[in-house]
Coordinates of all heavy atoms in Angstrom, one line a residue:
M28 N 17.2 -10.4 -1.0 CA 18.0 -10.4 -2.2 C 17.2 -11.0 -3.3 O 16.6 -12.0 -3.1 CB 19.3 -11.1 -2.0 CG 20.3 -11.0 -3.1 SD 21.9 -11.5 -2.6 CE 22.8 -11.1 -4.0
S29 N 17.3 -10.5 -4.5 CA 16.5 -11.0 -5.6 C 17.4 -11.6 -6.7 O 18.6 -11.4 -6.7 CB 15.6 -10.0 -6.2 OG 16.4 -9.0 -6.8
C30 N 16.8 -12.4 -7.6 CA 17.5 -13.0 -8.7 C 16.6 -13.1 -9.9 O 15.4 -12.9 -9.8 CB 18.0 -14.4 -8.3 SG 16.7 -15.6 -7.9
E31 N 17.3 -13.2 -11.0 CA 16.6 -13.3 -12.3 C 16.5 -14.8 -12.7 O 17.5 -15.5 -12.9 CB 17.3 -12.5 -13.4 CG 17.5 -11.1 -13.1 CD 16.3 -10.3 -13.4 OE1 15.7 -10.5 -14.4 OE2 16.0 -9.3 -12.6
V32 N 15.2 -15.3 -12.9 CA 15.1 -16.7 -13.3 C 14.3 -16.7 -14.6 O 13.5 -15.8 -14.9 CB 14.3 -17.5 -12.2 CG1 15.1 -17.6 -11.0 CG2 12.9 -17.0 -12.0
A33 N 14.6 -17.7 -15.4 CA 13.8 -17.9 -16.7 C 12.6 -18.8 -16.4 O 12.7 -19.9 -15.8 CB 14.7 -18.7 -17.7
V34 N 11.4 -18.2 -16.7 CA 10.2 -19.0 -16.5 C 9.8 -19.5 -17.9 O 9.6 -18.7 -18.8 CB 9.1 -18.1 -15.9 CG1 7.8 -18.9 -15.7 CG2 9.6 -17.5 -14.5
L35 N 9.6 -20.8 -17.9 CA 9.2 -21.5 -19.2 C 7.8 -21.9 -19.1 O 7.4 -22.6 -18.1 CB 10.1 -22.6 -19.5 CG 11.6 -22.4 -19.4 CD1 12.4 -23.6 -19.5 CD2 12.1 -21.3 -20.4
Y36 N 7.0 -21.6 -20.0 CA 5.5 -22.0 -20.0 C 5.3 -23.1 -21.0 O 5.8 -23.0 -22.2 CB 4.7 -20.8 -20.4 CG 4.8 -19.7 -19.4 CD1 5.8 -18.6 -19.6 CD2 4.1 -19.6 -18.2 CE1 5.9 -17.6 -18.7 CE2 4.2 -18.6 -17.3 CZ 5.1 -17.6 -17.6 OH 5.3 -16.5 -16.7
F37 N 4.6 -24.1 -20.6 CA 4.3 -25.3 -21.5 C 2.8 -25.5 -21.7 O 2.0 -25.2 -20.8 CB 4.9 -26.5 -21.0 CG 6.4 -26.5 -21.0 CD1 7.2 -26.1 -19.9 CD2 7.1 -26.9 -22.2 CE1 8.6 -26.0 -20.0 CE2 8.5 -26.8 -22.3 CZ 9.2 -26.4 -21.2
A38 N 2.4 -26.0 -22.8 CA 1.0 -26.4 -23.1 C 0.1 -25.3 -22.8 O 0.2 -24.1 -23.2 CB 0.7 -27.7 -22.4
R39 N -0.9 -25.6 -22.0 CA -2.0 -24.6 -21.7 C -1.5 -23.4 -21.0 O -2.0 -22.3 -21.2 CB -3.1 -25.3 -20.8 CG -4.2 -24.4 -20.4 CD -5.5 -24.8 -21.1 NE -6.6 -24.1 -20.6 CZ -7.2 -23.0 -21.2 NH1 -6.7 -22.6 -22.3 NH2 -8.2 -22.4 -20.7
S40 N -0.4 -23.5 -20.2 CA 0.1 -22.3 -19.5 C 0.7 -21.3 -20.5 O 0.6 -20.1 -20.3 CB 1.1 -22.7 -18.4 OG 2.3 -23.2 -19.0
A41 N 1.3 -21.8 -21.6 CA 1.8 -20.9 -22.6 C 0.6 -20.2 -23.3 O 0.7 -19.0 -23.6 CB 2.7 -21.7 -23.6
E42 N -0.4 -21.0 -23.6 CA -1.6 -20.4 -24.2 C -2.2 -19.2 -23.4 O -2.5 -18.2 -23.8 CB -2.7 -21.4 -24.5 CG -2.3 -22.5 -25.5 CD -3.3 -23.6 -25.5 OE1 -4.5 -23.4 -25.1 OE2 -3.0 -24.7 -26.0
L43 N -2.3 -19.5 -22.1 CA -2.9 -18.5 -21.2 C -2.0 -17.3 -20.9 O -2.5 -16.2 -20.8 CB -3.3 -19.2 -19.8 CG -4.4 -20.2 -19.9 CD1 -4.6 -21.0 -18.6 CD2 -5.8 -19.6 -20.3
A44 N -0.7 -17.6 -20.8 CA 0.2 -16.5 -20.5 C 0.5 -15.7 -21.8 O 0.8 -14.5 -21.7 CB 1.5 -17.0 -20.0
G45 N 0.3 -16.3 -23.0 CA 0.6 -15.6 -24.2 C 2.1 -15.5 -24.5 O 2.5 -14.8 -25.5
V46 N 2.9 -16.2 -23.8 CA 4.4 -16.3 -24.0 C 4.9 -17.7 -23.7 O 4.2 -18.4 -23.0 CB 5.2 -15.3 -23.1 CG1 4.8 -13.8 -23.5 CG2 5.0 -15.5 -21.7
R47 N 6.0 -18.0 -24.3 CA 6.6 -19.3 -24.0 C 7.7 -19.3 -22.9 O 7.9 -20.2 -22.3 CB 7.2 -19.9 -25.3 CG 6.1 -20.4 -26.3 CD 6.7 -21.3 -27.3 NE 5.8 -22.1 -28.0 CZ 5.0 -23.1 -27.5 NH1 5.1 -23.4 -26.3 NH2 4.2 -23.8 -28.3
S48 N 8.3 -18.1 -22.8 CA 9.3 -17.9 -21.8 C 9.5 -16.4 -21.5 O 9.1 -15.6 -22.3 CB 10.6 -18.5 -22.2 OG 11.1 -17.8 -23.3
E49 N 10.0 -16.1 -20.3 CA 10.3 -14.8 -19.9 C 11.3 -14.8 -18.7 O 11.4 -15.8 -18.1 CB 9.1 -14.0 -19.6 CG 8.3 -14.5 -18.4 CD 7.0 -13.7 -18.2 OE1 6.9 -12.6 -18.6 OE2 6.1 -14.3 -17.5
T50 N 11.9 -13.7 -18.5 CA 12.8 -13.6 -17.4 C 12.1 -12.8 -16.3 O 11.4 -11.8 -16.6 CB 14.1 -12.8 -17.7 OG1 14.8 -13.6 -18.7 CG2 15.0 -12.7 -16.5
V51 N 12.1 -13.3 -15.0 CA 11.3 -12.7 -13.9 C 12.3 -12.5 -12.8 O 13.1 -13.4 -12.5 CB 10.2 -13.7 -13.5 CG1 9.4 -13.1 -12.3 CG2 9.2 -13.9 -14.7
S52 N 12.2 -11.4 -12.1 CA 13.0 -11.1 -10.9 C 12.1 -11.5 -9.7 O 11.0 -11.0 -9.5 CB 13.3 -9.6 -10.9 OG 14.1 -9.3 -9.7
V53 N 12.7 -12.4 -8.9 CA 12.0 -12.8 -7.7 C 13.0 -12.9 -6.5 O 14.2 -12.9 -6.7 CB 11.4 -14.3 -7.9 CG1 10.3 -14.2 -9.0 CG2 12.4 -15.3 -8.3
P54 N 12.4 -13.0 -5.3 CA 13.3 -13.1 -4.2 C 14.1 -14.4 -4.3 O 13.6 -15.4 -4.8 CB 12.4 -13.2 -3.0 CG 11.2 -12.5 -3.4 CD 11.1 -12.8 -4.9
Q55 N 15.3 -14.4 -3.8 CA 16.2 -15.6 -3.9 C 15.6 -16.8 -3.1 O 15.7 -17.9 -3.4 CB 17.6 -15.3 -3.4 CG 18.6 -16.3 -3.8 CD 20.0 -15.8 -3.6 OE1 20.2 -14.9 -2.7 NE2 21.0 -16.3 -4.3
R56 N 15.0 -16.4 -1.9 CA 14.4 -17.4 -1.1 C 12.9 -17.1 -1.1 O 12.4 -16.1 -0.7 CB 14.9 -17.3 0.4 CG 16.4 -17.6 0.5 CD 16.9 -17.3 1.8 NE 16.4 -18.2 2.9 CZ 16.8 -19.4 3.1 NH1 17.8 -19.9 2.4 NH2 16.3 -20.1 4.1
I57 N 12.1 -18.1 -1.7 CA 10.7 -18.0 -1.9 C 10.0 -19.3 -1.9 O 10.7 -20.3 -2.2 CB 10.5 -17.3 -3.3 CG1 9.1 -16.9 -3.5 CG2 11.0 -18.1 -4.4 CD1 8.9 -16.0 -4.8
T58 N 8.8 -19.4 -1.4 CA 8.1 -20.7 -1.4 C 7.6 -20.9 -2.8 O 7.4 -19.9 -3.6 CB 6.9 -20.7 -0.4 OG1 5.9 -19.8 -0.8 CG2 7.4 -20.4 1.0
S59 N 7.3 -22.1 -3.1 CA 6.7 -22.4 -4.4 C 5.4 -21.7 -4.6 O 5.1 -21.2 -5.7 CB 6.6 -23.9 -4.7 OG 5.8 -24.5 -3.7
L60 N 4.6 -21.6 -3.6 CA 3.3 -20.9 -3.7 C 3.5 -19.4 -3.9 O 2.8 -18.8 -4.7 CB 2.4 -21.2 -2.5 CG 1.0 -20.7 -2.5 CD1 0.3 -21.2 -3.8 CD2 0.3 -21.0 -1.3
Q61 N 4.5 -18.8 -3.3 CA 4.8 -17.4 -3.5 C 5.3 -17.2 -4.9 O 4.9 -16.2 -5.6 CB 5.8 -16.9 -2.5 CG 5.3 -16.8 -1.1 CD 6.4 -16.5 -0.1 OE1 7.5 -17.0 -0.2 NE2 6.1 -15.8 0.9
L62 N 6.0 -18.1 -5.4 CA 6.5 -18.0 -6.8 C 5.3 -18.1 -7.8 O 5.3 -17.3 -8.7 CB 7.5 -19.1 -7.1 CG 8.1 -19.2 -8.5 CD1 8.8 -17.8 -8.8 CD2 9.1 -20.3 -8.6
W63 N 4.4 -19.0 -7.5 CA 3.2 -19.1 -8.3 C 2.4 -17.7 -8.3 O 2.0 -17.2 -9.4 CB 2.3 -20.2 -7.9 CG 1.0 -20.3 -8.5 CD1 -0.2 -20.0 -8.0 CD2 0.7 -20.6 -9.9 NE1 -1.2 -20.1 -9.0 CE2 -0.6 -20.5 -10.1 CE3 1.6 -21.0 -11.0 CZ2 -1.2 -20.7 -11.4 CZ3 1.0 -21.2 -12.2 CH2 -0.4 -21.1 -12.4
D64 N 2.3 -17.2 -7.1 CA 1.6 -15.9 -7.0 C 2.3 -14.8 -7.8 O 1.6 -14.0 -8.5 CB 1.5 -15.4 -5.6 CG 0.5 -16.3 -4.8 OD1 -0.3 -17.0 -5.4 OD2 0.6 -16.3 -3.5
E65 N 3.6 -14.8 -7.9 CA 4.4 -13.8 -8.7 C 4.1 -14.0 -10.2 O 3.9 -13.1 -10.9 CB 5.9 -13.9 -8.4 CG 6.3 -13.4 -7.1 CD 6.1 -11.9 -6.9 OE1 6.3 -11.2 -7.9 OE2 5.7 -11.5 -5.8
V66 N 4.0 -15.3 -10.6 CA 3.7 -15.6 -12.0 C 2.3 -15.1 -12.4 O 2.0 -14.5 -13.4 CB 4.0 -17.1 -12.3 CG1 3.4 -17.5 -13.7 CG2 5.4 -17.4 -12.2
V67 N 1.3 -15.4 -11.4 CA -0.1 -15.1 -11.7 C -0.2 -13.5 -11.7 O -1.1 -13.0 -12.5 CB -1.0 -15.7 -10.7 CG1 -2.4 -15.2 -10.8 CG2 -1.0 -17.3 -10.9
K68 N 0.5 -12.8 -11.0 CA 0.5 -11.3 -11.0 C 0.8 -10.8 -12.4 O 0.2 -9.9 -12.9 CB 1.5 -10.7 -10.0 CG 1.0 -10.7 -8.6 CD 2.1 -10.0 -7.8 CE 1.9 -10.3 -6.3 NZ 3.0 -9.8 -5.5
R69 N 1.7 -11.5 -13.1 CA 2.1 -11.1 -14.5 C 1.1 -11.6 -15.5 O 0.9 -11.0 -16.5 CB 3.5 -11.7 -14.8 CG 4.6 -11.1 -14.0 CD 5.8 -12.0 -14.2 NE 7.0 -11.6 -14.9 CZ 7.5 -10.4 -15.2 NH1 6.8 -9.4 -14.9 NH2 8.6 -10.3 -15.8
H70 N 0.5 -12.8 -15.2 CA -0.5 -13.4 -16.2 C -1.7 -13.9 -15.4 O -1.7 -15.1 -15.1 CB 0.2 -14.5 -17.0 CG 1.5 -14.1 -17.6 ND1 1.6 -13.3 -18.7 CD2 2.8 -14.3 -17.3 CE1 2.8 -13.1 -19.1 NE2 3.6 -13.7 -18.2
S71 N -2.6 -13.0 -15.2 CA -3.8 -13.4 -14.3 C -4.6 -14.6 -14.9 O -5.2 -15.3 -14.1 CB -4.7 -12.2 -14.1 OG -5.2 -11.7 -15.3
R72 N -4.5 -14.8 -16.1 CA -5.3 -15.9 -16.7 C -4.8 -17.3 -16.3 O -5.5 -18.2 -16.4 CB -5.3 -15.8 -18.3 CG -6.0 -14.6 -18.8 CD -5.9 -14.4 -20.3 NE -6.5 -15.6 -20.9 CZ -6.3 -15.9 -22.2 NH1 -5.4 -15.2 -22.9 NH2 -6.8 -17.0 -22.7
L73 N -3.6 -17.3 -15.8 CA -3.0 -18.6 -15.3 C -3.7 -19.1 -14.0 O -3.6 -20.2 -13.7 CB -1.5 -18.5 -15.1 CG -0.7 -18.3 -16.3 CD1 0.8 -18.0 -15.9 CD2 -0.7 -19.6 -17.1
A74 N -4.4 -18.2 -13.3 CA -5.0 -18.5 -12.0 C -5.9 -19.8 -12.1 O -6.1 -20.5 -11.2 CB -5.8 -17.4 -11.5
V75 N -6.5 -20.0 -13.3 CA -7.4 -21.2 -13.5 C -6.6 -22.5 -13.3 O -7.3 -23.6 -13.1 CB -8.2 -21.2 -14.8 CG1 -9.1 -20.0 -14.9 CG2 -7.2 -21.3 -16.0
L76 N -5.3 -22.5 -13.4 CA -4.5 -23.7 -13.4 C -4.0 -24.0 -11.9 O -3.4 -25.0 -11.7 CB -3.3 -23.6 -14.3 CG -3.6 -23.5 -15.8 CD1 -2.3 -23.3 -16.5 CD2 -4.4 -24.7 -16.3
R77 N -4.4 -23.2 -11.0 CA -3.8 -23.2 -9.6 C -3.8 -24.6 -9.0 O -2.8 -25.0 -8.4 CB -4.6 -22.2 -8.7 CG -4.5 -22.4 -7.3 CD -3.4 -21.6 -6.7 NE -3.2 -21.5 -5.3 CZ -3.1 -22.6 -4.4 NH1 -3.1 -23.8 -4.9 NH2 -2.9 -22.4 -3.2
D78 N -4.8 -25.3 -9.1 CA -4.9 -26.6 -8.4 C -4.4 -27.8 -9.3 O -4.4 -28.9 -8.9 CB -6.4 -26.9 -8.0 CG -6.9 -25.9 -7.0 OD1 -6.0 -25.5 -6.1 OD2 -8.1 -25.6 -7.0
Q79 N -3.9 -27.5 -10.4 CA -3.5 -28.5 -11.4 C -2.0 -28.4 -11.8 O -1.4 -29.4 -12.2 CB -4.3 -28.5 -12.6 CG -5.8 -28.5 -12.4 CD -6.6 -28.1 -13.6 OE1 -6.1 -27.4 -14.5 NE2 -7.8 -28.5 -13.7
V80 N -1.4 -27.3 -11.6 CA -0.1 -27.0 -12.1 C 1.0 -27.5 -11.2 O 0.9 -27.6 -10.0 CB 0.1 -25.5 -12.4 CG1 0.3 -24.7 -11.1 CG2 1.3 -25.2 -13.3
V81 N 2.2 -27.9 -11.7 CA 3.4 -28.2 -11.0 C 4.5 -27.4 -11.6 O 4.4 -27.0 -12.8 CB 3.8 -29.7 -11.0 CG1 2.7 -30.5 -10.2 CG2 4.0 -30.2 -12.3
F82 N 5.5 -27.1 -10.9 CA 6.7 -26.5 -11.4 C 7.8 -27.5 -11.6 O 7.8 -28.6 -10.9 CB 7.3 -25.5 -10.3 CG 6.6 -24.2 -10.1 CD1 6.5 -23.7 -8.9 CD2 6.0 -23.6 -11.2 CE1 5.9 -22.5 -8.6 CE2 5.3 -22.4 -10.9 CZ 5.3 -21.8 -9.7
A83 N 8.7 -27.2 -12.4 CA 10.0 -28.0 -12.4 C 11.1 -26.9 -12.2 O 11.2 -26.0 -13.0 CB 10.2 -28.7 -13.8
V84 N 11.8 -27.0 -11.1 CA 12.8 -26.0 -10.8 C 14.2 -26.8 -11.0 O 14.4 -27.8 -10.3 CB 12.7 -25.5 -9.4 CG1 13.8 -24.5 -9.0 CG2 11.3 -24.8 -9.2
R85 N 15.0 -26.3 -11.9 CA 16.2 -26.9 -12.2 C 16.0 -28.4 -12.6 O 16.7 -29.3 -12.2 CB 17.3 -26.8 -11.1 CG 17.7 -25.4 -10.9 CD 18.8 -25.3 -9.8 NE 18.3 -25.7 -8.5 CZ 17.8 -24.9 -7.6 NH1 17.6 -23.6 -7.9 NH2 17.4 -25.3 -6.4
Q86 N 14.9 -28.6 -13.3 CA 14.5 -29.9 -13.9 C 14.0 -30.9 -12.8 O 14.0 -32.1 -13.1 CB 15.5 -30.5 -14.8 CG 15.8 -29.6 -16.0 CD 16.9 -30.1 -16.9 OE1 17.4 -31.2 -16.7 NE2 17.1 -29.4 -18.0
E87 N 13.6 -30.4 -11.6 CA 13.0 -31.3 -10.6 C 11.6 -30.8 -10.3 O 11.5 -29.6 -10.0 CB 13.9 -31.3 -9.4 CG 15.3 -32.0 -9.6 CD 16.0 -32.2 -8.3 OE1 15.4 -32.3 -7.2 OE2 17.3 -32.2 -8.4
Y88 N 10.7 -31.7 -10.2 CA 9.3 -31.3 -10.0 C 9.1 -30.8 -8.6 O 9.7 -31.3 -7.6 CB 8.4 -32.5 -10.2 CG 8.2 -32.9 -11.6 CD1 8.7 -34.1 -12.1 CD2 7.5 -32.0 -12.5 CE1 8.5 -34.4 -13.4 CE2 7.3 -32.4 -13.8 CZ 7.8 -33.6 -14.3 OH 7.7 -33.9 -15.6
V89 N 8.3 -29.8 -8.5 CA 8.0 -29.1 -7.2 C 6.5 -28.8 -7.2 O 6.0 -28.2 -8.1 CB 8.7 -27.8 -7.0 CG1 8.3 -27.1 -5.8 CG2 10.2 -28.0 -7.1
L90 N 5.8 -29.3 -6.2 CA 4.3 -29.0 -6.0 C 4.2 -27.6 -5.4 O 5.0 -27.2 -4.7 CB 3.7 -30.1 -5.2 CG 3.7 -31.5 -5.7 CD1 3.1 -32.5 -4.7 CD2 2.9 -31.6 -7.1
L91 N 3.0 -27.0 -5.7 CA 2.7 -25.7 -5.0 C 2.5 -26.0 -3.5 O 1.8 -26.8 -3.2 CB 1.5 -25.1 -5.6 CG 1.6 -24.6 -7.1 CD1 0.3 -23.9 -7.5 CD2 2.8 -23.8 -7.3
G92 N 3.1 -25.2 -2.7 CA 3.0 -25.3 -1.3 C 3.9 -24.4 -0.6 O 4.4 -23.4 -1.1
D93 N 4.2 -24.7 0.7 CA 5.0 -23.8 1.5 C 6.5 -24.2 1.6 O 7.2 -23.7 2.4 CB 4.4 -23.7 2.9 CG 4.3 -25.0 3.6 OD1 4.8 -26.0 3.1 OD2 3.8 -25.1 4.8
Q94 N 6.9 -25.1 0.7 CA 8.3 -25.5 0.7 C 9.1 -24.4 0.2 O 8.8 -23.7 -0.8 CB 8.5 -26.8 -0.1 CG 8.2 -26.6 -1.6 CD 7.7 -27.9 -2.2 OE1 6.6 -28.4 -1.9 NE2 8.5 -28.5 -3.1
L95 N 10.2 -24.2 0.8 CA 11.1 -23.1 0.5 C 12.0 -23.5 -0.7 O 12.6 -24.5 -0.7 CB 12.0 -22.7 1.7 CG 12.9 -21.5 1.5 CD1 12.1 -20.2 1.3 CD2 13.8 -21.4 2.6
L96 N 12.1 -22.6 -1.7 CA 13.0 -22.7 -2.8 C 14.1 -21.7 -2.6 O 13.9 -20.6 -2.2 CB 12.3 -22.4 -4.1 CG 11.0 -23.2 -4.5 CD1 10.4 -22.7 -5.7 CD2 11.4 -24.7 -4.6
V97 N 15.3 -22.1 -2.9 CA 16.4 -21.2 -2.9 C 16.9 -21.1 -4.4 O 17.5 -22.0 -4.9 CB 17.6 -21.7 -2.0 CG1 18.7 -20.7 -2.0 CG2 17.0 -21.8 -0.5
L98 N 16.6 -20.0 -5.0 CA 16.9 -19.8 -6.4 C 18.1 -19.0 -6.6 O 18.6 -18.2 -5.7 CB 15.7 -19.1 -7.1 CG 14.3 -19.8 -6.9 CD1 13.2 -18.8 -7.5 CD2 14.3 -21.1 -7.7
Q99 N 18.7 -19.2 -7.8 CA 19.9 -18.4 -8.2 C 19.6 -17.8 -9.6 O 18.9 -18.4 -10.4 CB 21.1 -19.3 -8.2 CG 21.5 -19.9 -6.9 CD 22.7 -20.9 -7.1 OE1 23.4 -20.9 -8.1 NE2 22.9 -21.7 -6.0
S100 N 20.2 -16.7 -9.8 CA 20.1 -16.1 -11.2 C 20.4 -17.1 -12.2 O 21.4 -17.8 -12.1 CB 20.9 -14.9 -11.3 OG 20.4 -13.8 -10.6
G101 N 19.6 -17.2 -13.3 CA 19.9 -18.1 -14.3 C 19.1 -19.4 -14.2 O 19.1 -20.2 -15.1
D102 N 18.5 -19.7 -13.0 CA 17.7 -20.9 -12.9 C 16.5 -20.9 -13.8 O 16.0 -19.9 -14.2 CB 17.2 -21.1 -11.4 CG 18.3 -21.6 -10.4 OD1 19.3 -22.0 -10.9 OD2 18.0 -21.6 -9.2
E103 N 16.1 -22.1 -14.2 CA 14.9 -22.3 -15.0 C 13.8 -22.8 -14.2 O 14.0 -23.8 -13.4 CB 15.2 -23.2 -16.2 CG 16.0 -22.7 -17.3 CD 16.1 -23.6 -18.4 OE1 15.8 -24.8 -18.3 OE2 16.6 -23.2 -19.5
V104 N 12.6 -22.2 -14.3 CA 11.4 -22.6 -13.6 C 10.4 -22.9 -14.7 O 10.0 -22.0 -15.4 CB 10.9 -21.5 -12.7 CG1 9.6 -22.0 -12.1 CG2 11.9 -21.2 -11.6
A105 N 10.0 -24.2 -14.9 CA 9.0 -24.5 -15.9 C 7.6 -24.6 -15.2 O 7.5 -25.1 -14.1 CB 9.4 -25.9 -16.5
I106 N 6.7 -24.1 -15.9 CA 5.3 -24.1 -15.5 C 4.6 -25.2 -16.3 O 4.5 -25.1 -17.5 CB 4.5 -22.8 -15.7 CG1 5.3 -21.6 -15.2 CG2 3.1 -22.9 -15.2 CD1 5.4 -21.6 -13.7
I107 N 4.2 -26.3 -15.6 CA 3.7 -27.5 -16.3 C 2.3 -27.8 -15.9 O 2.0 -28.2 -14.7 CB 4.6 -28.7 -16.0 CG1 6.1 -28.4 -16.3 CG2 4.1 -29.9 -16.8 CD1 7.1 -29.4 -15.9
P108 N 1.3 -27.5 -16.7 CA -0.1 -27.8 -16.5 C -0.3 -29.3 -16.8 O 0.6 -30.0 -17.3 CB -0.8 -26.9 -17.4 CG 0.1 -26.8 -18.6 CD 1.5 -26.9 -18.0
P109 N -1.5 -29.8 -16.4 CA -1.8 -31.2 -16.8 C -1.8 -31.3 -18.3 O -2.2 -30.4 -19.0 CB -3.2 -31.4 -16.2 CG -3.6 -30.2 -15.6 CD -2.6 -29.1 -15.7
I110 N -1.3 -32.4 -18.7 CA -1.2 -32.7 -20.2 C -1.9 -34.0 -20.4 O -1.7 -35.0 -19.8 CB 0.3 -32.8 -20.7 CG1 1.0 -31.5 -20.4 CG2 0.3 -33.1 -22.1 CD1 2.5 -31.5 -20.6
S111 N -2.9 -33.9 -21.4 CA -3.6 -35.2 -21.7 C -3.2 -35.5 -23.1 O -2.8 -34.7 -24.0 CB -5.1 -34.9 -21.6 OG -5.5 -34.0 -22.5
G112 N -3.3 -36.8 -23.4 CA -3.1 -37.2 -24.8 C -3.6 -38.6 -24.9 O -4.1 -39.2 -24.0
G113 N -3.5 -39.1 -26.1 CA -4.0 -40.4 -26.3 C -3.4 -41.2 -27.4 O -2.5 -40.8 -28.1

């Protein structure tokens, strides 16, 4: 079963994707790494962030890996690359 989630792109991920947000249809049960792969299929330039990016799913941080996410339509998934500042 699939669901529609809002993917929000921040900082460098927004620059590379060329969008700040979009709605994506994904399986309801998906690992964080599979979710990342789905996002990279849409925006291949994001692949350079693979080892640096984290997600925030329903405003909770999730590292890329084999942990299972159970998503529902309307959930927000934020793509958060490393952010530097000074």
Side-chain angles (χ1 to χ4, degrees):
M28 189 168 184
S29 65
C30 61
E31 301 279 321
V32 297
V34 180
L35 311 174
Y36 299 93
F37 292 93
R39 181 111 171 100
S40 68
E42 292 171 19
L43 292 171
V46 296
R47 290 199 162 287
S48 66
E49 64 185 336
T50 300
V51 177
S52 180
V53 295
Q55 197 170 24
R56 299 173 64 82
I57 189 170
T58 68
S59 57
L60 189 53
Q61 290 169 325
L62 180 57
W63 173 249
D64 289 342
E65 288 295 320
V66 169
V67 170
K68 281 181 195 175
R69 292 166 110 22
H70 307 286
S71 61
R72 293 176 60 199
L73 290 172
V75 298
L76 299 177
R77 162 92 171 57
D78 295 327
Q79 304 165 338
V80 74
V81 295
F82 287 146
V84 178
R85 294 183 296 272
Q86 299 182 358
E87 292 189 29
Y88 287 113
V89 176
L90 297 175
L91 293 185
D93 60 3
Q94 63 208 69
L95 183 66
L96 304 174
V97 180
L98 301 173
Q99 298 177 12
S100 286
D102 281 351
E103 287 185 346
V104 176
I106 309 294
I107 305 171
I110 300 171
S111 63

